[in-house]
Amino acid sequence: MKKDRTDALASLPVPLRYDPRADMLEYGIAIGHEFWHGTIRLRVERVEADGGVDLRNSRTGALVTIRNPDGSTSRTTVEWMRLEYAAGRLVSVVPSAESVSERQQRFLSMDASIAVARDRKSTWRRSLAWRASTDEVLSSDAACGAWLDGNYGRQPGDLAYPRPHGSSLRRWMRALDKGDNRIGAVVSQAGRPRNSSQLPAEVDMAVNEAAMYFYCAGPGCSQTASDSYLDELVVKLNQQHPGRDQPFVKPSRQTLRKRIEKLECFETWEAKYGRESAERKYRGAGEPILVDHVLEVCLMDATELEQIVVFDDERAIPCLKMKIVAIMDCLTHAIFGWCVYAGPNRSETSAQAVMHCLEPDKFPPRMVELHPQLRLVFGKPAALLPDNEKALVSPATLPGYNDAGIVIIPAPVAMPTAKAALERFFRTLKELLASLPGTLVDPRRASELGFDLVESMAELTIHELRMRVAQAIAIHNTSGSKGLPGRMSPVEMLALRSGTRATDPFEDPSFVRDSLCTHFTAYLTRNGVEKDTVRYRDAVTIDRLFDNNAGRMGGAREASGFNMKARRSDGDMNRIELYDEHAQAWVPLPSTQPGYTTGLSFWEHGQYTEAAKRRREAFGSESARMKSMQETRRLHDEMLPKSKFRKRAKMASLRVSPHLRELAGKPLFTIEDYRDASQQAPATTTTRKDPPAVTPRAAADDGWDDEDRFTNDEENGE
């Protein structure tokens, strides 16, 4: 009987009803949004219901038209924007930081109602400053104070707030005169950046230490005791800095009280009152996550798959169990990004999953043809809710997520139901992958063993596994869900709520990718930069960097190098970027060993380095590293972990064994094979093609024998 090779993942669900909104691609593009198309800056003027878009060239002022293959011209469409974005030619204009003058101009354009909503005292300030200016009061503190003595309280609104000082009135008069008597000139622009203190750095550190003393001294320590401790710290600071013009001043008790409240968290509460009290105070209450927009809040979690060894031509990873990190939208339950990898959970895999969210073409083409709504599944998450494990989003990568415009929400403590939808998807994914083989083998090993033997062992490559995972996720996104209204599928829900996206659909992926890199300081010399035993160098780029930063090396220019800001993606060590302060741009430097570093992650590099040290092998040149890497792969393959899939592969090989068939006197059917065979002709069930014999390789070729390897597994009880 011919073996049934039907793949469970290849069976597609019943096709959904075609949704014409998929052709419209209602991405929620805002009027006035600007994009870069090469060196041309485009502005969205109008969006039609049929998908047409009016894009105006900011330089010429003309509407943009596109040229068709037949030579005719037509207007731009949302579909054209999607294709240009997928090709990397259309990116969103990243807003720059607002300067002080721009902030003042924005405040001057405020309407009176908006100004009052922001600052209730703005009308009161404008009334006093305008009346004093009308009376031609001199711009001095004494003159303004005298005017307040004689005129304050004459208008009903004057007494709404305490009487100001003469210097305050003088500043309001000056601001109102510079702002052409507009109310926005006297709106308060107060506000410091978050986590920045107006205290001196030494005093601010003393306040932090006193607040930590309040939590570490036990339940009996009061805020009064911590205030006394702060007094002692300030006295010590004045003794350590006797030459200061002004001595350090102890802040108020209110400052210490607010700092204590700011530092209150699970760790500090546990240090003061114990773990049980901290769990009662900070344990999740089980409230649902309320979201109103697509990609407003996304869930991130990782799980371990049953598949184990990962080897192929492109990515050389030591053999370990495979894992996956996925990102699911809370509103639609659609999977936007994922990353299949080996090894422990680490921050670069999460960053790759976030970057995968921005890719518009990531599903199998056949699935996209059947379900056009899959073209909607891309975009940047506005907020991420990761698991409690800090390896997914390490503290060192939090500034990068903030720079990319992604908010990281702390996971609820002891609340596994917060990601119940994503956990259910992982369970479904494992069920779909259960019929697949668990062992992944590289093409070189497959050629050595023989592809027929590999096929009977039911093994596959990492590329095939990732394609199956993408197909399983596409099935999930297009299948009906009980957790959505009307049992809609995630892509149907996405098409329905696509106009309420929380983020720009055409986000600049390079900006997000650069923000998620690891930042550090590198020492640049004429020989390049060395980082983690890998050297990065380019002669032309290094000469330009030395010329632009000549002042940092001194007038004699005899220094061998200087420090520069640098960044690198831990998921790909093939290049490093240095920040040129003169040009205010990041300059890339390629690796001098591209054959080894291409597609190599920092974690993989560490694994290969440690393996070479244990064997005392040379690991400096590119050829030595490639040789050591191949040896590591071979040794890992010999120490292949045991799994139930290997047992199932052995069972399949025993079922087709001629010797066992002769001993049993009949073909060895399993229950599934018997059910299939009972519905076919007897002549068909008795014919079975034996696999070709494979000659064992000599020990001198690779140092071990394939047959001995599988024999040892059987003797070990597998």
Side-chain angles (χ1 to χ4, degrees), residues 125-156:
R125 294 194 191 100
R126 184 177 183 276
S127 175
L128 291 175
W130 181 79
R131 285 155 50 196
S133 300
T134 304
D135 294 342
E136 298 181 354
V137 179
L138 295 178
S139 182
S140 64
D141 295 351
C144 292
W147 183 88
L148 288 173
D149 293 338
N151 296 274
Y152 184 75
R154 290 188 177 183
Q155 296 291 339

PDB file of all heavy atoms in Angstrom, residues 125-156:
ATOM      1  N   ARG A 125      -4.518  85.687  33.847  1.00  0.00           N
ATOM      2  CA  ARG A 125      -3.236  86.321  33.563  1.00  0.00           C
ATOM      3  C   ARG A 125      -3.357  87.328  32.425  1.00  0.00           C
ATOM      4  O   ARG A 125      -2.802  88.429  32.487  1.00  0.00           O
ATOM      5  CB  ARG A 125      -2.196  85.253  33.188  1.00  0.00           C
ATOM      6  CG  ARG A 125      -1.825  84.295  34.291  1.00  0.00           C
ATOM      7  CD  ARG A 125      -0.567  83.530  33.907  1.00  0.00           C
ATOM      8  NE  ARG A 125      -0.311  82.413  34.810  1.00  0.00           N
ATOM      9  CZ  ARG A 125      -0.606  81.161  34.545  1.00  0.00           C
ATOM     10  NH1 ARG A 125      -1.180  80.850  33.375  1.00  0.00           N
ATOM     11  NH2 ARG A 125      -0.338  80.199  35.416  1.00  0.00           N
ATOM     12  N   ARG A 126      -4.096  86.934  31.372  1.00  0.00           N
ATOM     13  CA  ARG A 126      -4.228  87.838  30.227  1.00  0.00           C
ATOM     14  C   ARG A 126      -4.974  89.111  30.611  1.00  0.00           C
ATOM     15  O   ARG A 126      -4.630  90.212  30.143  1.00  0.00           O
ATOM     16  CB  ARG A 126      -4.958  87.122  29.096  1.00  0.00           C
ATOM     17  CG  ARG A 126      -5.084  87.937  27.807  1.00  0.00           C
ATOM     18  CD  ARG A 126      -5.753  87.146  26.708  1.00  0.00           C
ATOM     19  NE  ARG A 126      -5.803  87.882  25.468  1.00  0.00           N
ATOM     20  CZ  ARG A 126      -6.742  88.780  25.159  1.00  0.00           C
ATOM     21  NH1 ARG A 126      -7.720  89.043  26.024  1.00  0.00           N
ATOM     22  NH2 ARG A 126      -6.721  89.409  23.998  1.00  0.00           N
ATOM     23  N   SER A 127      -5.978  88.994  31.461  1.00  0.00           N
ATOM     24  CA  SER A 127      -6.728  90.182  31.878  1.00  0.00           C
ATOM     25  C   SER A 127      -5.842  91.153  32.641  1.00  0.00           C
ATOM     26  O   SER A 127      -5.831  92.368  32.362  1.00  0.00           O
ATOM     27  CB  SER A 127      -7.920  89.755  32.741  1.00  0.00           C
ATOM     28  OG  SER A 127      -8.602  90.879  33.254  1.00  0.00           O
ATOM     29  N   LEU A 128      -5.059  90.662  33.598  1.00  0.00           N
ATOM     30  CA  LEU A 128      -4.181  91.548  34.369  1.00  0.00           C
ATOM     31  C   LEU A 128      -3.098  92.149  33.483  1.00  0.00           C
ATOM     32  O   LEU A 128      -2.819  93.363  33.556  1.00  0.00           O
ATOM     33  CB  LEU A 128      -3.550  90.767  35.521  1.00  0.00           C
ATOM     34  CG  LEU A 128      -4.489  90.330  36.658  1.00  0.00           C
ATOM     35  CD1 LEU A 128      -3.742  89.473  37.666  1.00  0.00           C
ATOM     36  CD2 LEU A 128      -5.075  91.557  37.359  1.00  0.00           C
ATOM     37  N   ALA A 129      -2.433  91.312  32.626  1.00  0.00           N
ATOM     38  CA  ALA A 129      -1.348  91.821  31.796  1.00  0.00           C
ATOM     39  C   ALA A 129      -1.862  92.825  30.759  1.00  0.00           C
ATOM     40  O   ALA A 129      -1.201  93.842  30.492  1.00  0.00           O
ATOM     41  CB  ALA A 129      -0.640  90.658  31.110  1.00  0.00           C
ATOM     42  N   TRP A 130      -3.043  92.580  30.194  1.00  0.00           N
ATOM     43  CA  TRP A 130      -3.568  93.505  29.180  1.00  0.00           C
ATOM     44  C   TRP A 130      -3.956  94.841  29.802  1.00  0.00           C
ATOM     45  O   TRP A 130      -3.686  95.911  29.236  1.00  0.00           O
ATOM     46  CB  TRP A 130      -4.777  92.873  28.511  1.00  0.00           C
ATOM     47  CG  TRP A 130      -5.374  93.749  27.439  1.00  0.00           C
ATOM     48  CD1 TRP A 130      -4.930  93.930  26.177  1.00  0.00           C
ATOM     49  CD2 TRP A 130      -6.532  94.583  27.590  1.00  0.00           C
ATOM     50  NE1 TRP A 130      -5.725  94.815  25.490  1.00  0.00           N
ATOM     51  CE2 TRP A 130      -6.743  95.238  26.348  1.00  0.00           C
ATOM     52  CE3 TRP A 130      -7.419  94.835  28.632  1.00  0.00           C
ATOM     53  CZ2 TRP A 130      -7.779  96.126  26.134  1.00  0.00           C
ATOM     54  CZ3 TRP A 130      -8.466  95.716  28.412  1.00  0.00           C
ATOM     55  CH2 TRP A 130      -8.641  96.347  27.184  1.00  0.00           C
ATOM     56  N   ARG A 131      -4.561  94.821  30.980  1.00  0.00           N
ATOM     57  CA  ARG A 131      -4.935  96.081  31.648  1.00  0.00           C
ATOM     58  C   ARG A 131      -3.710  96.870  32.068  1.00  0.00           C
ATOM     59  O   ARG A 131      -3.668  98.106  31.962  1.00  0.00           O
ATOM     60  CB  ARG A 131      -5.807  95.774  32.855  1.00  0.00           C
ATOM     61  CG  ARG A 131      -7.240  95.372  32.472  1.00  0.00           C
ATOM     62  CD  ARG A 131      -7.894  94.518  33.524  1.00  0.00           C
ATOM     63  NE  ARG A 131      -7.784  95.077  34.863  1.00  0.00           N
ATOM     64  CZ  ARG A 131      -8.000  94.401  35.992  1.00  0.00           C
ATOM     65  NH1 ARG A 131      -8.326  93.106  35.901  1.00  0.00           N
ATOM     66  NH2 ARG A 131      -7.890  94.977  37.160  1.00  0.00           N
ATOM     67  N   ALA A 132      -2.675  96.178  32.555  1.00  0.00           N
ATOM     68  CA  ALA A 132      -1.449  96.890  32.934  1.00  0.00           C
ATOM     69  C   ALA A 132      -0.752  97.469  31.712  1.00  0.00           C
ATOM     70  O   ALA A 132      -0.202  98.582  31.763  1.00  0.00           O
ATOM     71  CB  ALA A 132      -0.513  95.940  33.677  1.00  0.00           C
ATOM     72  N   SER A 133      -0.776  96.769  30.596  1.00  0.00           N
ATOM     73  CA  SER A 133      -0.169  97.305  29.375  1.00  0.00           C
ATOM     74  C   SER A 133      -0.953  98.502  28.853  1.00  0.00           C
ATOM     75  O   SER A 133      -0.370  99.465  28.332  1.00  0.00           O
ATOM     76  CB  SER A 133      -0.104  96.212  28.303  1.00  0.00           C
ATOM     77  OG  SER A 133       0.671  95.119  28.737  1.00  0.00           O
ATOM     78  N   THR A 134      -2.282  98.453  28.971  1.00  0.00           N
ATOM     79  CA  THR A 134      -3.105  99.590  28.529  1.00  0.00           C
ATOM     80  C   THR A 134      -2.806 100.834  29.355  1.00  0.00           C
ATOM     81  O   THR A 134      -2.795 101.963  28.831  1.00  0.00           O
ATOM     82  CB  THR A 134      -4.588  99.219  28.632  1.00  0.00           C
ATOM     83  OG1 THR A 134      -4.833  98.032  27.874  1.00  0.00           O
ATOM     84  CG2 THR A 134      -5.463 100.333  28.108  1.00  0.00           C
ATOM     85  N   ASP A 135      -2.551 100.651  30.660  1.00  0.00           N
ATOM     86  CA  ASP A 135      -2.211 101.784  31.529  1.00  0.00           C
ATOM     87  C   ASP A 135      -0.765 102.222  31.387  1.00  0.00           C
ATOM     88  O   ASP A 135      -0.332 103.138  32.129  1.00  0.00           O
ATOM     89  CB  ASP A 135      -2.485 101.413  32.990  1.00  0.00           C
ATOM     90  CG  ASP A 135      -3.974 101.195  33.252  1.00  0.00           C
ATOM     91  OD1 ASP A 135      -4.783 101.650  32.419  1.00  0.00           O
ATOM     92  OD2 ASP A 135      -4.329 100.552  34.268  1.00  0.00           O
ATOM     93  N   GLU A 136      -0.005 101.573  30.460  1.00  0.00           N
ATOM     94  CA  GLU A 136       1.386 101.932  30.181  1.00  0.00           C
ATOM     95  C   GLU A 136       2.239 101.892  31.445  1.00  0.00           C
ATOM     96  O   GLU A 136       2.998 102.811  31.770  1.00  0.00           O
ATOM     97  CB  GLU A 136       1.476 103.313  29.529  1.00  0.00           C
ATOM     98  CG  GLU A 136       0.759 103.392  28.182  1.00  0.00           C
ATOM     99  CD  GLU A 136       0.886 104.757  27.539  1.00  0.00           C
ATOM    100  OE1 GLU A 136       1.432 105.670  28.201  1.00  0.00           O
ATOM    101  OE2 GLU A 136       0.432 104.903  26.386  1.00  0.00           O
ATOM    102  N   VAL A 137       2.133 100.784  32.159  1.00  0.00           N
ATOM    103  CA  VAL A 137       2.942 100.588  33.358  1.00  0.00           C
ATOM    104  C   VAL A 137       4.365 100.263  32.934  1.00  0.00           C
ATOM    105  O   VAL A 137       4.589  99.523  31.971  1.00  0.00           O
ATOM    106  CB  VAL A 137       2.347  99.449  34.223  1.00  0.00           C
ATOM    107  CG1 VAL A 137       3.189  99.206  35.465  1.00  0.00           C
ATOM    108  CG2 VAL A 137       0.919  99.795  34.610  1.00  0.00           C
ATOM    109  N   LEU A 138       5.350 100.829  33.660  1.00  0.00           N
ATOM    110  CA  LEU A 138       6.744 100.559  33.362  1.00  0.00           C
ATOM    111  C   LEU A 138       7.056  99.087  33.613  1.00  0.00           C
ATOM    112  O   LEU A 138       6.509  98.462  34.525  1.00  0.00           O
ATOM    113  CB  LEU A 138       7.656 101.440  34.218  1.00  0.00           C
ATOM    114  CG  LEU A 138       7.571 102.958  33.965  1.00  0.00           C
ATOM    115  CD1 LEU A 138       8.497 103.708  34.917  1.00  0.00           C
ATOM    116  CD2 LEU A 138       7.937 103.269  32.513  1.00  0.00           C
ATOM    117  N   SER A 139       7.953  98.542  32.800  1.00  0.00           N
ATOM    118  CA  SER A 139       8.311  97.131  32.910  1.00  0.00           C
ATOM    119  C   SER A 139       9.373  96.959  33.999  1.00  0.00           C
ATOM    120  O   SER A 139      10.547  96.716  33.734  1.00  0.00           O
ATOM    121  CB  SER A 139       8.844  96.605  31.570  1.00  0.00           C
ATOM    122  OG  SER A 139       9.150  95.233  31.673  1.00  0.00           O
ATOM    123  N   SER A 140       8.931  97.073  35.242  1.00  0.00           N
ATOM    124  CA  SER A 140       9.805  96.863  36.399  1.00  0.00           C
ATOM    125  C   SER A 140       8.975  96.230  37.507  1.00  0.00           C
ATOM    126  O   SER A 140       7.746  96.383  37.560  1.00  0.00           O
ATOM    127  CB  SER A 140      10.435  98.174  36.872  1.00  0.00           C
ATOM    128  OG  SER A 140       9.437  99.075  37.340  1.00  0.00           O
ATOM    129  N   ASP A 141       9.667  95.563  38.425  1.00  0.00           N
ATOM    130  CA  ASP A 141       8.955  94.897  39.510  1.00  0.00           C
ATOM    131  C   ASP A 141       8.262  95.898  40.419  1.00  0.00           C
ATOM    132  O   ASP A 141       7.123  95.669  40.869  1.00  0.00           O
ATOM    133  CB  ASP A 141       9.926  94.036  40.323  1.00  0.00           C
ATOM    134  CG  ASP A 141      10.505  92.892  39.507  1.00  0.00           C
ATOM    135  OD1 ASP A 141      10.019  92.682  38.375  1.00  0.00           O
ATOM    136  OD2 ASP A 141      11.436  92.221  39.992  1.00  0.00           O
ATOM    137  N   ALA A 142       8.911  97.017  40.701  1.00  0.00           N
ATOM    138  CA  ALA A 142       8.317  98.007  41.606  1.00  0.00           C
ATOM    139  C   ALA A 142       7.084  98.650  40.977  1.00  0.00           C
ATOM    140  O   ALA A 142       6.042  98.822  41.643  1.00  0.00           O
ATOM    141  CB  ALA A 142       9.354  99.070  41.965  1.00  0.00           C
ATOM    142  N   ALA A 143       7.165  99.020  39.690  1.00  0.00           N
ATOM    143  CA  ALA A 143       6.026  99.662  39.032  1.00  0.00           C
ATOM    144  C   ALA A 143       4.847  98.696  38.914  1.00  0.00           C
ATOM    145  O   ALA A 143       3.686  99.090  39.125  1.00  0.00           O
ATOM    146  CB  ALA A 143       6.445 100.174  37.657  1.00  0.00           C
ATOM    147  N   CYS A 144       5.122  97.445  38.592  1.00  0.00           N
ATOM    148  CA  CYS A 144       4.035  96.461  38.489  1.00  0.00           C
ATOM    149  C   CYS A 144       3.416  96.183  39.854  1.00  0.00           C
ATOM    150  O   CYS A 144       2.197  96.018  39.977  1.00  0.00           O
ATOM    151  CB  CYS A 144       4.563  95.172  37.875  1.00  0.00           C
ATOM    152  SG  CYS A 144       5.033  95.316  36.134  1.00  0.00           S
ATOM    153  N   GLY A 145       4.248  96.147  40.916  1.00  0.00           N
ATOM    154  CA  GLY A 145       3.703  95.955  42.254  1.00  0.00           C
ATOM    155  C   GLY A 145       2.830  97.114  42.683  1.00  0.00           C
ATOM    156  O   GLY A 145       1.772  96.915  43.311  1.00  0.00           O
ATOM    157  N   ALA A 146       3.255  98.360  42.349  1.00  0.00           N
ATOM    158  CA  ALA A 146       2.437  99.528  42.693  1.00  0.00           C
ATOM    159  C   ALA A 146       1.113  99.513  41.929  1.00  0.00           C
ATOM    160  O   ALA A 146       0.066  99.895  42.469  1.00  0.00           O
ATOM    161  CB  ALA A 146       3.229 100.804  42.389  1.00  0.00           C
ATOM    162  N   TRP A 147       1.150  99.086  40.681  1.00  0.00           N
ATOM    163  CA  TRP A 147      -0.108  99.023  39.911  1.00  0.00           C
ATOM    164  C   TRP A 147      -1.053  97.985  40.503  1.00  0.00           C
ATOM    165  O   TRP A 147      -2.267  98.203  40.540  1.00  0.00           O
ATOM    166  CB  TRP A 147       0.207  98.684  38.464  1.00  0.00           C
ATOM    167  CG  TRP A 147      -1.009  98.675  37.574  1.00  0.00           C
ATOM    168  CD1 TRP A 147      -1.540  99.748  36.911  1.00  0.00           C
ATOM    169  CD2 TRP A 147      -1.839  97.542  37.286  1.00  0.00           C
ATOM    170  NE1 TRP A 147      -2.658  99.367  36.213  1.00  0.00           N
ATOM    171  CE2 TRP A 147      -2.876  98.004  36.438  1.00  0.00           C
ATOM    172  CE3 TRP A 147      -1.825  96.220  37.659  1.00  0.00           C
ATOM    173  CZ2 TRP A 147      -3.869  97.174  35.957  1.00  0.00           C
ATOM    174  CZ3 TRP A 147      -2.814  95.392  37.185  1.00  0.00           C
ATOM    175  CH2 TRP A 147      -3.825  95.852  36.346  1.00  0.00           C
ATOM    176  N   LEU A 148      -0.520  96.866  40.961  1.00  0.00           N
ATOM    177  CA  LEU A 148      -1.367  95.848  41.582  1.00  0.00           C
ATOM    178  C   LEU A 148      -1.983  96.361  42.882  1.00  0.00           C
ATOM    179  O   LEU A 148      -3.140  96.032  43.196  1.00  0.00           O
ATOM    180  CB  LEU A 148      -0.554  94.577  41.854  1.00  0.00           C
ATOM    181  CG  LEU A 148      -0.162  93.739  40.634  1.00  0.00           C
ATOM    182  CD1 LEU A 148       0.784  92.621  41.045  1.00  0.00           C
ATOM    183  CD2 LEU A 148      -1.407  93.148  39.972  1.00  0.00           C
ATOM    184  N   ASP A 149      -1.239  97.184  43.633  1.00  0.00           N
ATOM    185  CA  ASP A 149      -1.789  97.727  44.878  1.00  0.00           C
ATOM    186  C   ASP A 149      -3.013  98.597  44.618  1.00  0.00           C
ATOM    187  O   ASP A 149      -3.961  98.613  45.420  1.00  0.00           O
ATOM    188  CB  ASP A 149      -0.712  98.542  45.609  1.00  0.00           C
ATOM    189  CG  ASP A 149       0.426  97.662  46.105  1.00  0.00           C
ATOM    190  OD1 ASP A 149       0.183  96.441  46.265  1.00  0.00           O
ATOM    191  OD2 ASP A 149       1.549  98.173  46.306  1.00  0.00           O
ATOM    192  N   GLY A 150      -3.009  99.318  43.505  1.00  0.00           N
ATOM    193  CA  GLY A 150      -4.118 100.220  43.246  1.00  0.00           C
ATOM    194  C   GLY A 150      -5.213  99.661  42.358  1.00  0.00           C
ATOM    195  O   GLY A 150      -6.324 100.205  42.338  1.00  0.00           O
ATOM    196  N   ASN A 151      -4.951  98.569  41.598  1.00  0.00           N
ATOM    197  CA  ASN A 151      -5.925  98.090  40.625  1.00  0.00           C
ATOM    198  C   ASN A 151      -6.370  96.642  40.824  1.00  0.00           C
ATOM    199  O   ASN A 151      -7.356  96.229  40.208  1.00  0.00           O
ATOM    200  CB  ASN A 151      -5.360  98.222  39.201  1.00  0.00           C
ATOM    201  CG  ASN A 151      -5.113  99.667  38.800  1.00  0.00           C
ATOM    202  OD1 ASN A 151      -5.998 100.367  38.318  1.00  0.00           O
ATOM    203  ND2 ASN A 151      -3.879 100.132  39.018  1.00  0.00           N
ATOM    204  N   TYR A 152      -5.641  95.856  41.623  1.00  0.00           N
ATOM    205  CA  TYR A 152      -6.003  94.452  41.791  1.00  0.00           C
ATOM    206  C   TYR A 152      -7.297  94.328  42.590  1.00  0.00           C
ATOM    207  O   TYR A 152      -7.433  94.920  43.666  1.00  0.00           O
ATOM    208  CB  TYR A 152      -4.888  93.696  42.511  1.00  0.00           C
ATOM    209  CG  TYR A 152      -5.158  92.205  42.632  1.00  0.00           C
ATOM    210  CD1 TYR A 152      -5.021  91.368  41.535  1.00  0.00           C
ATOM    211  CD2 TYR A 152      -5.575  91.654  43.835  1.00  0.00           C
ATOM    212  CE1 TYR A 152      -5.275  90.016  41.630  1.00  0.00           C
ATOM    213  CE2 TYR A 152      -5.833  90.296  43.946  1.00  0.00           C
ATOM    214  CZ  TYR A 152      -5.683  89.478  42.838  1.00  0.00           C
ATOM    215  OH  TYR A 152      -5.952  88.136  42.942  1.00  0.00           O
ATOM    216  N   GLY A 153      -8.254  93.618  42.056  1.00  0.00           N
ATOM    217  CA  GLY A 153      -9.543  93.407  42.706  1.00  0.00           C
ATOM    218  C   GLY A 153     -10.661  94.232  42.138  1.00  0.00           C
ATOM    219  O   GLY A 153     -11.821  94.064  42.565  1.00  0.00           O
ATOM    220  N   ARG A 154     -10.378  95.096  41.182  1.00  0.00           N
ATOM    221  CA  ARG A 154     -11.442  95.916  40.609  1.00  0.00           C
ATOM    222  C   ARG A 154     -12.326  95.110  39.658  1.00  0.00           C
ATOM    223  O   ARG A 154     -13.511  95.409  39.524  1.00  0.00           O
ATOM    224  CB  ARG A 154     -10.829  97.108  39.864  1.00  0.00           C
ATOM    225  CG  ARG A 154     -10.191  98.134  40.796  1.00  0.00           C
ATOM    226  CD  ARG A 154      -9.779  99.385  40.018  1.00  0.00           C
ATOM    227  NE  ARG A 154      -9.245 100.403  40.905  1.00  0.00           N
ATOM    228  CZ  ARG A 154      -8.862 101.620  40.515  1.00  0.00           C
ATOM    229  NH1 ARG A 154      -8.955 101.929  39.211  1.00  0.00           N
ATOM    230  NH2 ARG A 154      -8.389 102.494  41.369  1.00  0.00           N
ATOM    231  N   GLN A 155     -11.739  94.121  39.009  1.00  0.00           N
ATOM    232  CA  GLN A 155     -12.520  93.261  38.137  1.00  0.00           C
ATOM    233  C   GLN A 155     -12.967  92.024  38.916  1.00  0.00           C
ATOM    234  O   GLN A 155     -12.262  91.533  39.798  1.00  0.00           O
ATOM    235  CB  GLN A 155     -11.687  92.833  36.916  1.00  0.00           C
ATOM    236  CG  GLN A 155     -11.294  93.990  36.009  1.00  0.00           C
ATOM    237  CD  GLN A 155     -12.495  94.577  35.285  1.00  0.00           C
ATOM    238  OE1 GLN A 155     -13.531  93.934  35.127  1.00  0.00           O
ATOM    239  NE2 GLN A 155     -12.354  95.826  34.851  1.00  0.00           N
ATOM    240  N   PRO A 156     -14.153  91.483  38.614  1.00  0.00           N
ATOM    241  CA  PRO A 156     -14.642  90.326  39.403  1.00  0.00           C
ATOM    242  C   PRO A 156     -13.725  89.114  39.317  1.00  0.00           C
ATOM    243  O   PRO A 156     -13.589  88.363  40.280  1.00  0.00           O
ATOM    244  CB  PRO A 156     -16.017  90.038  38.781  1.00  0.00           C
ATOM    245  CG  PRO A 156     -16.434  91.329  38.154  1.00  0.00           C
ATOM    246  CD  PRO A 156     -15.178  91.989  37.676  1.00  0.00           C
TER     247      PRO A 156
END
